[in-house]
Amino acid sequence: MDRKARDAEWTSLMRSAIAGDQGAYRRLLSELSPVLRGVARRGFAGVGVPREDVEDVVQDALLAIHLKRHTWDQTMPLGPWVMAIVRNKMIDDLRRRGRRPEVPVDLNEFEFEGEDQQASIDAHDVERVLGRLSGKNRDIVQSISIDGQSARDVAQRLGMSEVAVRVALHRSLKALADTYQEKKL
Amino acid sequence: MKTDDLINALAADAKSVEPPIARTVAIAVGIGALISGLLFLGVLGVRDNFAESMVSSLRFVFKFVLTLSLAIPAYVLVRGLSRPDFEPGKKLWWLALAPALLFIAILLEMVSVPADQWHARMIGHNSIPCLVVIPLLSLAPLAAVLYALHQGAPANPAIAGAVGGLLSAGIAATLYASHCPDDSPLFLAAWYTIGTVVMTAIGALAGSRFLRW
């Protein structure tokens, strides 16, 4: 699929996602993650960031895409917006490492290599950050993410309402992003 | 945690999306301006000959042309700067509109007023209140716009904060201009600009501190 067609597909997936289509959203994030990985790997290749650290940036960027998706203007293509997010996260990461935060990411360019073995590699930052959540919230995040349970199943198991589980999940994701941010200050 | 696991959690949270950022910016700026407007009307109010000046004094009308020529471009820019993919580029030149208008107005004033009156016009009657009131009336709009930008994802926090500061000063100056008895462009250049620069600097500092995401 060429770049333009792919961007058009992402754009329509994100529109559906914002309208509440969970399936479209999952597909979009799954398609974006290898692209983010490719961009981060190439951006970091020249500055000596270890390969295994790339995944932390990918996850940080995915969290930001999630929590900031209301800043995407639905009349614009999604690709440049995604690139702006990942560029910001790469700059933050380099700054944290005490390097000059200059990342050559062209907002209109998002080629990526097809390989995608890294999706199964653990990133450590989120893991560490999860440790800071309260026991119950950590349980909720892990059940839904790692064990792939639905919010309803988790709600039943914990004797909570489904809405309460969703709220707890959202707050926990925000807390994850905030903890990432704290490390940068 | 594996990235695919994280995606599970994010997808499960699909319904949590916030209102579009442009709407948040609009509402926040509206509320900030409203608070300052009510405060202004309650404490200072427009000057007694407001209606008369609006039709008879070009200098008085120009004050609003100037302050709005700052506030409106600043608002449009802030709305864009709340998005990470917004590239201001040449649009930042819109902010040169107010200084350019002021520059022209100063020239016209210097042509139409004898040189021995320039100094008196510049000092005016109300410089201290002007210096104090514009920053004070800027506070609510600045807080509101910083809140909105915090909900957004500005690519450059310091610039976004600075333009937010300009916007807040533009709103405050528009209100204060309707009260202030000094109408000469020389007065505006000397005193209104100080409050505006101060608010821009505060906005830039607050932005670089609070608008990282």
Side-chain angles (χ1 to χ4, degrees):
Chain A
M1 202 189 311
D2 72 350
R3 212 177 73 184
K4 220 169 164 183
R6 199 175 61 212
D7 199 8
E9 194 207 341
W10 289 348
T11 302
S12 97
L13 283 174
M14 187 56 123
R15 278 204 200 105
S16 309
I18 286 176
D21 182 341
Q22 193 170 322
Y25 194 36
R26 179 188 300 275
R27 221 181 101 203
L28 173 68
L29 295 175
S30 303
E31 283 187 27
L32 285 180
S33 68
V35 179
L36 300 176
R37 193 168 298 122
V39 170
R41 200 179 291 161
R42 257 179 298 113
F44 280 175
V47 287
V49 174
R51 259 174 101 89
E52 57 267 28
D53 289 2
V54 164
E55 208 56 22
D56 285 326
V57 172
V58 171
Q59 296 195 1
D60 194 11
L62 282 170
L63 268 171
I65 286 170
H66 178 64
L67 294 171
K68 296 296 183 185
R69 61 201 190 282
H70 60 282
T71 68
W72 171 58
D73 179 343
Q74 297 202 26
T75 63
M76 313 267 275
L78 188 70
W81 179 84
V82 167
M83 286 308 113
I85 297 260
V86 67
R87 180 174 61 177
N88 183 287
K89 290 302 168 189
M90 288 163 73
I91 290 171
D92 274 351
D93 191 84
L94 289 178
R95 199 176 276 144
R96 214 186 315 164
R97 294 166 193 277
R99 286 170 203 276
R100 285 205 324 174
E102 280 172 22
V103 182
V105 178
D106 182 344
L107 293 193
N108 298 307
E109 210 179 288
F110 35 88
E111 295 309 325
F112 70 106
E113 52 266 46
E115 49 156 338
D116 191 25
Q117 312 98 324
Q118 287 246 339
S120 56
I121 289 181
D122 282 298
H124 306 292
D125 283 356
V126 168
E127 202 82 52
R128 220 174 304 132
V129 166
L130 267 176
R132 299 232 203 142
L133 297 177
S134 75
K136 196 183 213 174
N137 285 352
R138 192 166 59 231
D139 185 350
I140 290 172
V141 173
Q142 283 178 334
S143 304
I144 292 176
S145 61
I146 298 169
D147 310 334
Q149 294 176 10
S150 71
R152 188 177 302 154
D153 293 343
V154 176
Q156 254 166 18
R157 181 166 60 77
L158 296 177
M160 299 166 71
S161 72
E162 196 183 328
V163 172
V165 168
R166 287 186 190 285
V167 170
L169 173 66
H170 184 64
R171 289 213 180 121
S172 302
L173 292 173
K174 268 191 151 158
L176 292 187
D178 286 347
T179 324
Y180 256 110
Q181 191 59 42
E182 273 169 33
K183 295 195 310 178
K184 288 163 198 159
L185 291 176
Chain B
M1 185 189 277
K2 296 178 187 10
T3 298
D4 287 345
D5 299 334
L6 179 66
I7 290 176
N8 284 337
L10 301 181
D13 194 34
K15 293 202 165 60
S16 67
V17 64
E18 289 171 38
I21 191 63
R23 189 190 304 168
T24 305
V25 171
I27 292 173
V29 171
I31 290 175
L34 189 68
I35 292 172
S36 280
L38 292 174
L39 210 64
F40 170 76
L41 290 176
V43 178
L44 292 175
V46 303
R47 68 195 209 186
D48 295 337
N49 59 351
F50 177 82
E52 186 197 326
S53 305
M54 259 334 232
V55 291
S56 64
S57 166
L58 201 57
R59 284 186 181 84
F60 187 64
V61 174
F62 174 74
K63 291 205 290 186
F64 301 101
V65 172
L66 179 69
T67 58
L68 291 175
S69 74
L70 176 68
I72 293 169
Y75 171 73
V76 176
L77 272 173
V78 157
R79 204 175 48 180
L81 288 166
S82 68
R83 297 191 284 113
D85 54 335
F86 179 75
E87 291 181 322
K90 289 186 182 139
K91 290 177 189 146
L92 282 176
W93 281 103
W94 296 344
L95 295 176
L97 178 63
L101 287 175
L102 182 59
F103 182 71
I104 295 168
I106 289 171
L107 290 183
L108 292 174
E109 180 81 340
M110 289 175 125
V111 170
S112 57
V113 173
D116 59 354
Q117 286 181 31
W118 291 352
H119 187 69
R121 293 231 173 187
M122 188 187 84
I123 298 305
H125 309 281
N126 231 18
S127 54
I128 301 304
C130 172
L131 279 183
V132 174
V133 171
I134 288 182
L136 283 181
L137 288 176
S138 299
L139 290 180
L142 180 64
V145 77
L146 287 176
Y147 165 82
L149 286 170
H150 185 71
Q151 304 302 303
N156 190 324
I159 290 183
V163 179
L166 271 178
L167 170 59
S168 71
I171 293 169
T174 304
L175 293 168
Y176 182 67
S178 68
H179 173 84
C180 178
D182 294 300
D183 296 343
S184 169
L186 293 168
F187 182 87
L188 302 181
W191 307 105
Y192 279 53
T193 45
I194 294 178
T196 306
V197 168
V198 166
M199 293 317 294
T200 306
I202 292 175
L205 273 175
S208 61
R209 183 77 186 78
F210 300 118
L211 296 180
R212 305 273 300 278
W213 49 275

